[in-house]
Amino acid sequence: SSELTQDPAVSVALGQTVRVTCQGDSLRTYYGSWYQQKPGQAPVPVLYGNNFRPSGIPDRFSGSSSGVTASLTISGAQAQDEADYYCSSRDSGGFGVFGTGTKVTVL
Amino acid sequence: QVQLVQSGAEVKKPGASVKVSCKASGYTFIGHYIHWVRQAPGQGHEWMGRINPNNGDTNSAQKFHHRVTMTRDTSITTAYMELSGLRSDDTAIYYCARAYYYDGSDYAFDIWGQGTMVTVSS
């Protein structure tokens, strides 16, 4: 399957840690990347592959991968981290596929 | 400053075509694939296809294979995506995004255009 499945929503208390997961068969072969999207804005990459952070992304964002699951962890979540988060990888043809998205609410 | 700037919003009737442009600046245009991704209102992202600006080679998702045409003009560092046979469910924000090989073998989308809203309505 070329689908990437995410939990629709998670919440985290301010300053606590939250993990966002992404599941799909393609993750056995390809790493996932992660994008943050706030309302009315274009996606912003927060993690490339297993654990490469783009320039300017704080180190509270980290990643991991095991089997068919990729994870994004936000350690010490801040109010500005409240957003939708999408994973992305490749499908069986080697081209792009996106996850269903997770809304992260910071309480 | 590396950026992708897209053309403005469009309103089209069913059956028409739309052509969205994506102007690249601040980097070597032919050095990075440009991908096209769309997002319907309140929905997730859908990968549509990609173009190699160096030689114009394209790949598209099976779903759009017969309706999408991707081109580029290297003289003005601009990529284009044309979608034909528009239907109401093509109403979406269309993004271009630059592919970045972060470890030499795998890529992610490091720069995104601001998005172009395409509305299909009779």
Side-chain angles (χ1 to χ4, degrees):
Chain A
S1 170
S2 61
E3 296 178 345
L4 296 177
T5 303
Q6 301 180 234
D7 291 331
V10 296
S11 60
V12 58
L14 185 68
Q16 297 303 301
T17 295
V18 64
R19 175 175 289 183
V20 181
T21 60
C22 172
Q23 291 191 308
D25 290 342
S26 65
L27 295 174
R28 289 187 192 277
T29 307
Y30 301 106
Y31 285 124
S33 291
W34 291 92
Y35 303 88
Q36 176 192 75
Q37 188 175 30
K38 297 182 178 179
Q41 298 182 19
V44 173
V46 294
L47 209 66
Y48 299 142
N50 201 31
N51 210 3
F52 292 88
R53 266 190 315 277
S55 174
I57 300 300
D59 60 7
R60 63 177 179 272
F61 290 89
S62 63
S64 62
S65 182
S66 178
V68 298
T69 302
S71 300
L72 170 71
T73 299
I74 309 174
S75 304
Q78 302 300 303
Q80 61 264 37
D81 299 334
E82 184 164 295
D84 294 330
Y85 289 84
Y86 294 90
C87 61
S88 176
S89 184
R90 305 202 212 182
D91 63 12
S92 55
F95 303 121
V97 62
F98 286 86
T100 50
T102 298
K103 181 176 180 60
V104 173
T105 300
V106 180
L107 303 172
Chain B
Q1 179 187 4
V2 178
Q3 60 179 353
L4 299 172
V5 178
Q6 299 183 222
S7 48
E10 302 263 13
V11 179
K12 296 290 183 181
K13 293 194 181 300
S17 297
V18 68
K19 190 171 186 177
V20 179
S21 67
C22 174
K23 166 74 175 173
S25 61
Y27 73 96
T28 303
F29 179 62
I30 61 173
H32 295 262
Y33 280 75
I34 293 290
H35 292 241
W36 291 91
V37 176
R38 77 178 187 180
Q39 185 175 29
Q43 303 297 311
H45 300 91
E46 186 172 29
W47 184 82
M48 300 182 67
R50 70 177 186 179
I51 184 167
N52 180 346
N54 188 40
N55 58 17
D57 285 351
T58 63
N59 304 96
S60 59
Q62 187 73 17
K63 174 178 180 178
F64 303 104
H65 199 57
H66 299 294
R67 294 203 295 139
V68 70
T69 303
M70 291 168 285
T71 56
R72 93 290 189 220
D73 185 337
T74 56
S75 68
I76 56 171
T77 65
T78 300
Y80 302 91
M81 186 283 299
E82 183 171 22
L83 188 63
S84 62
L86 290 170
R87 308 185 290 255
S88 59
D89 62 357
D90 290 319
T91 294
I93 300 173
Y94 289 76
Y95 293 100
C96 59
R98 187 182 82 159
Y100 167 63
Y101 281 83
Y102 55 88
D103 68 354
S105 63
D106 206 353
Y107 67 83
F109 306 120
D110 67 333
I111 305 294
W112 292 68
Q114 83 277 19
T116 297
M117 182 70 211
V118 175
T119 302
V120 183
S121 174
S122 55

